[in-house]
Amino acid sequence: MLGASALAALTACGDSSKFISYSGPQVTQIQVFKGKRMMYLLHGDEVLESYKIALGGDPIGPKQFEGDGKTPEGLYYINRRNPNSAYYLSIGISYPNPQQVAFATEQGKKAGGDIFIHGRDGKNKGRGRDWTAGCIAVKDKEVREIYAMVRDGTPIFIFP
């Protein structure tokens, strides 16, 4: 987990601020384990932080089509940020890749998109454990940390 100095840097701006700073080790990859509902931020093989997560409403199996309620599986990259997210803060995941688009098109469907790691912003109240449209959700306080710690281009491995 985070060292005392890195944690202090995360909380230096206070809990009331949506944006915080981070000066600890670089996050070199994210690992998501859908079956365990856990996400890990790593520097090399060291776990910096771990989070309990919520997934798409029908999370078993890989995402293939828009509206299927599944969270993607495979290797992707963090490719964008949304500071004005309807879900507090969000960072984008590079789903779909060209092969996924081609497969969906062959089936006469769309692959979907707009897959993010995001907060809750009160959106999951009473909706059960998995409630997103295919995204990975954490608590708002946690997405503030993730938003500060993770840079665009970071690989994210999503496992079943």
Side-chain angles (χ1 to χ4, degrees):
M1 298 299 170
L2 287 176
S5 63
L7 186 57
L10 272 174
T11 59
C13 295
D15 285 340
S16 62
S17 174
K18 195 173 186 179
F19 303 101
I20 59 177
S21 61
Y22 173 70
S23 62
Q26 178 183 357
V27 174
T28 56
Q29 67 174 281
I30 303 168
Q31 293 183 358
V32 174
F33 294 88
K34 290 171 47 174
K36 294 179 182 179
R37 303 300 190 282
M38 289 297 295
M39 179 172 64
Y40 302 93
L41 305 185
L42 288 93
H43 174 77
D45 59 0
E46 176 190 358
V47 175
L48 299 173
E49 279 295 334
S50 61
Y51 304 96
K52 292 180 181 177
I53 59 172
L55 300 170
D58 186 15
I60 297 173
K63 182 164 196 62
Q64 295 180 307
F65 309 114
E66 184 175 73
D68 64 9
K70 299 193 182 304
T71 300
E73 295 174 1
L75 169 61
Y76 302 95
Y77 295 89
I78 299 304
N79 65 354
R80 61 199 184 281
R81 323 186 146 260
N82 184 356
N84 300 310
S85 173
Y87 296 91
Y88 193 66
L89 290 171
S90 59
I91 58 174
I93 297 171
S94 63
Y95 173 88
N97 64 38
Q99 295 81 12
Q100 290 163 322
V101 171
F103 175 77
T105 302
E106 289 169 5
Q107 305 301 310
K109 299 182 178 186
K110 294 180 180 179
D114 285 338
I115 302 296
F116 289 86
I117 298 169
H118 62 64
R120 297 171 192 245
D121 202 31
K123 305 284 196 249
N124 71 324
K125 300 261 190 258
R127 294 175 69 185
R129 177 165 86 167
D130 295 316
W131 57 273
T132 76
C135 296
I136 299 164
V138 296
K139 295 176 182 175
D140 290 349
K141 176 183 175 187
E142 296 168 337
V143 81
R144 281 199 310 262
E145 294 174 2
I146 295 163
Y147 198 91
M149 293 174 73
V150 174
R151 299 287 158 243
D152 289 357
T154 303
I156 176 168
F157 296 89
I158 307 174
F159 301 101

